[in-house]
Amino acid sequence: MAKKSKKQQPGGTPATVALTAAGVAYTVHAYEHDPSHPSYGEEAAEAMGVSPDRVFKTLVADVDGTLTVAVVPVAGSLDLKALATAVGGKRAAMADPTLAERTTGYVRGGISPLGQRKKLPTVLDESATTHTTICVSAGRRGLEVELRPTDLTTLTAAVLAPIGRT
């Protein structure tokens, strides 16, 4: 069930509020974010003591002019061509970070696939289904939420596809 950390504000983040409203079981993991760490996702995996293949990063890409969310393991990278294919597009490129922040309502390194300001098409790497639970950003740096991949897929209306590269 929901576990609040000391760092979490009373109302939570938009991501945790969305999870609570949906009645989804989740666990919040808070850790001290190190601004000098080279990778937000790898830092989260290390801080939580979780395998990097269970911690997923949220990336925003532009697929044929449509902002699209890609959720892939932090242990790998996003295959832009596979992402475009997954949503029926031709070309994909990483979105401008400022546009991604403005559209989702989250800051880079804290973008969550849940509770975004504007609902965007979402693709979850199919490797998520090999785990009982996965971790994604809870909406700010140093805060992750652990939940079942099926719940994430349902709440974001995500397409499952092989979009991650190792």
Side-chain angles (χ1 to χ4, degrees):
M1 274 320 277
K3 187 186 340 175
K4 292 188 179 184
S5 71
K6 290 186 231 169
K7 293 180 122 189
Q8 193 172 357
Q9 296 172 353
T13 65
T16 59
V17 169
L19 287 165
T20 301
V24 169
Y26 66 95
T27 304
V28 171
H29 298 277
Y31 59 92
E32 200 62 45
H33 167 61
D34 176 2
S36 68
H37 200 288
S39 166
Y40 296 115
E42 288 174 13
E43 175 191 24
E46 290 167 11
M48 294 186 303
V50 174
S51 172
D53 64 337
R54 277 191 50 229
V55 179
F56 283 65
K57 57 188 168 187
T58 306
L59 303 170
V60 181
D62 180 320
V63 180
D64 298 334
T66 300
L67 289 182
T68 304
V69 173
V71 185
V72 297
V74 301
S77 60
L78 172 62
D79 181 335
L80 288 165
K81 186 174 174 109
L83 175 64
T85 300
V87 295
K90 291 184 185 343
R91 295 191 66 228
M94 294 307 297
D96 172 70
T98 303
L99 180 60
E101 289 180 344
R102 190 172 48 242
T103 304
T104 64
Y106 293 117
V107 297
R108 216 171 117 242
I111 294 178
S112 177
L114 300 156
Q116 294 181 357
R117 183 176 289 151
K118 180 180 179 192
K119 190 169 175 77
L120 299 173
T122 301
V123 182
L124 175 61
D125 185 68
E126 66 185 10
S127 69
T129 62
T130 65
H131 306 287
T132 304
T133 61
I134 61 171
C135 298
V136 297
S137 176
R140 86 172 147 249
R141 296 172 188 153
L143 198 65
E144 294 281 311
V145 65
E146 182 177 353
L147 74 165
R148 295 182 323 181
T150 52
D151 290 332
L152 180 62
T153 302
T154 300
L155 291 175
T156 60
V159 171
L160 286 170
I163 60 169
R165 278 192 271 193
T166 52

